[in-house]
Amino acid sequence: MIAGFKKLVVASSIAAALLTAATPAAQAAEEQFFMLPSYRVGPYGANGQAFYGGFIDYLNYINMKGGIDGVQATWEECETEYNNAKGVECYERMKSKALKAPGPIHTMSTGISYALVDKAATDKLPLAMMGYGLTSAVDGSVFPWAFPLVTTYQMQASAIVKFLKDKSGGSLEGKKIVFLYHDSAYGKEPILALEAEARLNKYSLVQIPVAHPGNEQGAQWQRIRQEQPDYVIMWGWGVMNMTAIKTAQKMGYPREKMIGSWWAGSEEDTVPAGDAAKGYMSATWNVAGKGVPLIADIEKTVYGAGKGNLQDKAKIGTILYNRGVSAAVLSIEAIRTAQAKYGKGKAMGAEQVRWGLENLNLTEARLKALGATGLLPEVKTSCDNHEGSGKVKMQQWDGAKWVSLTDWIEGNKALVHPLFKADAAKYAKEKGITPRDCSKEK
C-alpha cells in the first residue's frame, strides 16, 4: 500500500514536472520570428535606423495590443552595414530560427535581396522586397518566395516619367532627361523602363552613374551642366542624395527640376542639405507625418510605455520611419491572411506565410480599420502579381517638410509589366525553373 502510494506520488511529480517544462515550449511555439538583417551604422546607417525603428515599433505595438490574434511577434537584428556579403552572413546565421514560423525577411537592400532570392527559395523562406529588389520577382509563377510588394523600381520610374510629362504640358518629345544613379544593382534596376519610356515618349536619356557611397560628384555635375537637361531623375541612397542636392545648388541647377526615387526622398536627404533642398521633388509609396492615426497611436502606446526602438524620437513620423511601419503592417496583414485560412491564434509556418503574402488584400476599408488611411496605397497580390499595387505619390520639400503634389498615380503598366515578364521567363530558363500554373493557385 505504502509502496503503491509512493509510486503514485512519484508519477504525479514527474507528470507535473513535464507539464511545467512543456508550458514555456508551448508558448514559444506561438511566436512569429522576424529575422532582420538590418543596418544602423555606416554610410547608410541613418536611413536604416529610421526604417527598422518604425518596423520594430509596429511589432511592439501589435504585441501590446494582444499580438497577431494572440501570437507574439519576436525578432532578432543582425548588422549588415548595407554590405551584400554581411547580409548573406546574417541570413545564414539566423535562418534556423526562422524555419518554423518566419515573418517575411526585410533586408532594405537591393544587393542583399539579389543575393538571397535563390537562397530563400531553396530554404523556403519568404523574402519581402518592399520598394526595392528584383523587379522580375513580381512574376510569382517563377519567384514563389520573393515579394517586391507595393511597387517596383520600374513602375516607379514610369510613374515619374508620367508626372514629368504632365508637368511639360503632356509631351516630353525633344526633351532631355539625365538619369543620375547609384552605381549598384539598386541604381540600375529602372534603366530598362526608362529606356522603354524614352523610345515611347521620344525624349533623350543620358545615364550618369555615381560610385558608392556618392560623396564625390564633381565630374557628374560638370557633365550635367554641359548636357543642360530639362530634368534630372536621381536614383540615390544615403550621402549621395544630400551631396547631389548641394552640388546642384552650387552648379545653379534648379532643384525644382530634380526628382528622386523614394530612396532619395526622405528627411535624411533634405534636412542635411539645408536651403539647397527647397523645391526638390521625389516619388514615395508612403506619406510622412504624424497625421496618420496609426503613427500617432504608436508614439502614444509604445513610447508612452517606454518600449520605443528609437533613441532619436524626432524620426517618428518621418518618411523612412513611416515606411518601416508600412512594411511591418503588410507583413502582419499577410500573417493574418494566412491565419484566416490555416488557423487563427496559431503561429504560421513558412509555406503558410508565403500563401498569405500571395493573397494579400489590403483595402481602403482595412487601412481605415488599422488607422492607416493614406499611409500607403491599397495592395492586392496574386500568384502572377507579387507587386500588388504599382502606385506612388509625388512629393516636394518645402524647406521644412514633405508636401504631397499628387494623389496615388500609376505608371504605364502595359509598357512595364511585359518587360519584367520577359526577364522572369529568361531567369526561369537559365535556372531550369518550371513556372507554376497560376490558374491552379488559390
Side-chain angles (χ1 to χ4, degrees):
M1 182 73 174
I2 293 175
F5 176 73
K6 284 182 178 179
K7 287 180 181 178
L8 179 62
V9 170
V10 171
S12 299
S13 299
I14 292 172
L18 288 172
L19 180 62
T20 302
T23 301
Q27 290 174 343
E30 300 310 314
E31 294 178 348
Q32 206 77 38
F33 177 76
F34 288 80
M35 73 156 78
L36 297 177
S38 60
Y39 48 95
R40 296 179 185 250
V41 300
Y44 311 104
N47 305 64
Q49 289 167 22
F51 179 90
Y52 286 104
F55 193 97
I56 291 172
D57 279 349
Y58 188 71
L59 296 185
N60 261 323
Y61 177 78
I62 288 296
N63 285 344
M64 293 172 72
K65 296 286 186 177
I68 315 166
D69 196 39
V71 177
Q72 290 288 291
T74 63
W75 59 90
E76 181 179 329
E77 290 190 81
C78 179
E79 179 62 50
T80 71
E81 298 181 28
Y82 194 75
N83 177 280
N84 295 352
K86 289 183 179 179
V88 172
E89 181 183 334
C90 284
Y91 169 84
E92 295 292 348
R93 185 185 306 168
M94 294 188 289
K95 74 177 182 182
S96 61
K97 297 180 182 179
L99 290 172
K100 185 174 184 180
I105 303 164
H106 295 264
T107 69
M108 207 172 78
S109 163
T110 295
I112 296 175
S113 65
Y114 268 31
L116 294 184
V117 164
D118 289 342
K119 287 180 177 291
T122 298
D123 295 329
K124 298 189 182 305
L125 287 172
L127 178 65
M129 303 176 288
M130 295 182 181
Y132 59 91
L134 187 64
T135 297
S136 53
V138 172
D139 187 348
S141 71
V142 176
F143 299 93
W145 291 93
F147 293 84
L149 288 167
V150 186
T151 189
T152 60
Y153 289 141
Q154 292 184 17
M155 282 297 287
Q156 176 189 197
S158 181
I160 289 173
V161 170
K162 181 178 181 179
F163 172 70
L164 294 179
K165 184 177 179 179
D166 290 343
K167 280 179 65 69
S168 300
S171 176
L172 288 172
E173 185 171 355
K175 301 287 187 183
K176 182 183 289 186
I177 296 176
V178 160
F179 179 55
L180 184 71
Y181 65 96
H182 193 277
D183 196 8
S184 64
Y186 152 62
K188 296 173 184 176
E189 265 286 322
I191 290 176
L192 193 64
L194 288 172
E195 289 176 339
E197 288 281 7
R199 291 189 293 271
L200 179 66
N201 288 289
K202 300 179 181 179
Y203 63 82
S204 172
L205 180 67
V206 179
Q207 300 176 34
I208 303 178
V210 176
H212 162 83
N215 53 356
E216 295 290 338
Q217 296 182 39
Q220 286 87 351
W221 280 93
Q222 287 288 354
R223 171 87 183 278
I224 291 171
R225 185 159 66 176
Q226 292 169 4
E227 294 285 351
Q228 296 185 341
D230 296 281
Y231 299 104
V232 172
I233 297 176
M234 181 170 71
W235 231 256
W237 186 226
V239 69
M240 173 181 163
N241 301 330
M242 173 189 68
T243 302
I245 292 168
K246 285 186 171 183
T247 309
Q249 181 189 47
K250 290 179 183 178
M251 293 290 186
Y253 191 82
R255 267 71 68 217
E256 293 81 2
K257 291 187 175 184
M258 290 178 66
I259 185 164
S261 73
W262 50 59
W263 299 118
S266 70
E267 291 81 357
E268 283 77 8
D269 307 312
T270 51
V271 172
D275 293 340
K278 189 173 182 180
Y280 170 73
M281 300 178 293
S282 85
T284 185
W285 61 264
N286 66 279
V287 301
K290 300 179 184 179
V292 177
L294 175 61
I295 303 301
D297 200 36
I298 288 172
E299 182 174 27
K300 178 183 176 182
T301 303
V302 178
Y303 286 84
K307 294 184 177 181
N309 185 261
L310 291 175
Q311 292 182 341
D312 181 5
K313 295 180 182 179
K315 289 183 180 291
I316 300 171
T318 61
I319 282 287
L320 291 178
Y321 178 88
N322 288 9
R323 190 163 297 162
V325 171
S326 300
V329 165
L330 284 164
S331 299
I332 297 299
E333 290 304 296
I335 293 167
R336 284 178 171 149
T337 299
Q339 286 180 327
K341 178 178 175 67
Y342 296 106
K344 291 186 176 182
K346 297 179 180 179
M348 293 290 100
E351 181 58 54
Q352 294 167 334
V353 173
R354 192 206 67 77
W355 186 91
L357 285 165
E358 193 165 88
N359 290 275
L360 265 174
N361 188 16
L362 191 62
T363 63
E364 286 293 344
R366 182 56 183 162
L367 285 167
K368 183 178 180 180
L370 293 169
T373 299
L375 178 61
L376 69 160
E378 292 181 301
V379 177
K380 183 176 175 60
T381 57
S382 63
C383 169
D384 59 6
N385 185 355
H386 280 192
E387 180 181 43
S389 172
K391 295 180 180 179
V392 298
K393 285 187 176 185
M394 303 301 161
Q395 60 181 6
Q396 188 169 40
W397 185 252
D398 70 359
K401 64 184 182 303
W402 288 105
V403 178
S404 292
L405 296 175
T406 69
D407 199 350
W408 299 112
I409 62 176
E410 186 177 60
N412 190 340
K413 186 177 288 186
L415 176 70
V416 173
H417 276 217
L419 298 177
F420 71 68
K421 283 282 188 182
D423 196 50
K426 180 181 176 183
Y427 184 94
K429 184 177 181 180
E430 290 175 352
K431 299 286 185 176
I433 297 171
T434 301
R436 292 184 293 161
D437 182 354
C438 283
S439 67
K440 297 179 180 179
E441 298 288 333
K442 294 182 180 179

